[in-house]
Amino acid sequence: MPEFEALTVPVHRATTVVYRSAHEFLNRSNRLLEGFSYGLYGNPTVKTLEWRVSEIEGGTHTMLVPSGLAAISLPILSYLRCGDHILIADCVYGPTKELCKGLLTRFGITHSIFPSDAGSIEPWLNDQTRLVLLESPGSYTMEIQDIAAIAAQAHDHGAIVMMDNTWGFGRTNMFDHGVDIVSTALSKYASGHSDVCLGACTVANTELFDSLRSALIVLGIGVSSDDAYLVLRGLQTLDIRLSHHARHGYDVAKWLSSHPAIDTVFYPALESDSQHARYKRYFTGSNGVISLILKERDQRRIEMFVDALRVFKIGASWGGTQSLVAITNMTDARAARHWPETPWVIRLHIGLEPLATLIKDLENALNLLP
Ligand SMILES: *Cc1c(COP(=O)(O)O)cnc(C)c1O
């Protein structure tokens, strides 16, 4: 075969890993944590992405899992035991609350929910609290917890802190602020093209890595090299995509906040946003996710606004090249504190289309409202 070297990481598809001797084969469990032993437990494509994600998150070890949701569930299921208590921010990803209410309750693990913008978690900590789950800014309404203060309180009580860092990926180092486990949905900006679900758990010490990895191995959860490859490809443009989404995100948020049909805009990078001080403390940049509340209160007319958008497609998720709009009822989504506004929050994802096209689309739809 003539010599061949490419810029890309090869996509390895393999179940069997071949050993050089019976002795190596009999001792293959030694390779489970770092080396390659069987297809399910990783290959060079997957390992390369794990290294890249560790680098971006600022940790030492990363485990890939099939979704962002699995990246949250895995540490919870591997770290907690019967009798433990988990404390979660009210704004965490919806299905995580269902995990706490359902499976964890069945396993004898209790949970409490604290307000999403908390500066202290002291009132909710107890002797059984072993894990505190944060998400900053929170999905939909962008609350930012006082991460360093909360991490210090958790550690004083012997609990570890986990962060859903999907929003901040590439724009923060959560380990600098006391976070122990960082879980990220790579399905969003990391992959960047709305075509793959993948998640990552990153830690900054070997002890946590060993316990998470041991759990992962017995749960039989692995990821496909093709999916890992798509994220490796996306990461090559992560930085410039994030900067572009953030620039247009800021401009759209600013434009929306002075529009007469808009009640509130949630975009922490805006100087006028209630979370701006914490945004400056914990993040080095923003992205294209904007939430808003319309002055209009009638559900039918709010739906009419959403339906009138042409460039923004209606759909969940964000982080791809195309602009999206989603609508949610916050009254059902908040437990720690009564949601004071109208229930309807609209979330936009500002894609890579021209700024003027996006503003024109929003303007046309807003003009239908009084
Ligand atoms: C999308 C998302 C998840 C879940 O990621 P999936 O890959 O879709 O499972 C978790 N947390 C946040 C904040 C998200 O936006």
Side-chain angles (χ1 to χ4, degrees), residues 40-254:
L40 179 65
Y41 303 134
N43 59 53
T45 317
V46 168
K47 182 72 81 189
T48 305
L49 178 56
E50 289 177 344
W51 286 337
R52 288 286 289 117
V53 171
S54 289
E55 215 178 313
I56 292 167
E57 303 274 32
T60 55
H61 295 82
T62 291
M63 282 138 287
L64 293 180
V65 288
S67 67
L69 180 55
I72 306 168
S73 307
L74 169 77
I76 293 175
L77 291 173
S78 56
Y79 194 72
L80 296 180
R81 63 171 83 92
C82 184
D84 287 346
H85 172 248
I86 174 174
L87 191 51
I88 62 174
D90 205 1
C91 60
V92 298
Y93 189 60
T96 302
K97 280 186 184 163
E98 299 307 314
L99 171 70
C100 293
K101 286 187 221 159
L103 208 59
L104 293 193
T105 303
R106 190 146 63 73
F107 290 167
I109 297 162
T110 57
H111 70 278
S112 311
I113 300 176
F114 66 91
S116 311
D117 58 355
S120 164
I121 52 165
E122 213 60 61
W124 295 273
L125 286 164
N126 66 44
D127 292 344
Q128 280 69 49
T129 311
R130 289 191 71 230
L131 188 60
V132 178
L133 174 60
L134 309 179
E135 183 180 326
S136 286
S139 289
Y140 274 102
T141 46
M142 309 279 178
E143 302 93 334
I144 299 178
Q145 296 95 57
D146 193 351
I147 300 156
I150 287 175
Q153 291 173 334
H155 292 156
D156 279 350
H157 275 77
I160 63 168
V161 178
M162 197 174 138
M163 170 65 76
D164 181 337
N165 193 38
T166 304
W167 188 97
F169 185 71
R171 291 292 180 257
T172 185
N173 181 339
M174 284 294 164
F175 298 106
D176 284 348
H177 306 300
V179 169
D180 302 287
I181 303 175
V182 172
S183 296
T184 292
L186 302 174
S187 325
K188 307 292 166 61
Y189 284 117
S191 58
H193 295 76
S194 314
D195 55 5
V196 58
C197 278
L198 211 65
C201 300
T202 304
V203 294
N205 72 64
T206 322
E207 206 179 313
L208 267 177
F209 170 67
D210 289 351
S211 72
L212 286 179
R213 179 88 174 136
S214 304
L216 191 62
I217 283 167
V218 295
L219 288 172
I221 296 170
V223 305
S224 128
S225 316
D226 298 273
D227 292 349
Y229 179 83
L230 286 174
V231 178
L232 279 167
R233 179 153 73 170
L235 288 182
Q236 297 183 51
T237 53
L238 175 71
D239 201 56
I240 54 167
R241 282 187 290 108
L242 277 179
S243 299
H244 189 99
H245 287 293
R247 202 163 50 244
H248 285 185
Y250 183 91
D251 289 346
V252 172
K254 190 106 187 156

Side-chain angles (χ1 to χ4, degrees), residues 272-290:
S272 56
D273 192 280
S274 67
Q275 307 297 297
H276 189 65
R278 284 182 186 164
Y279 162 76
K280 295 289 274 187
R281 193 178 318 153
Y282 294 119
F283 302 93
T284 58
S286 182
N287 56 44
V289 189
I290 303 172

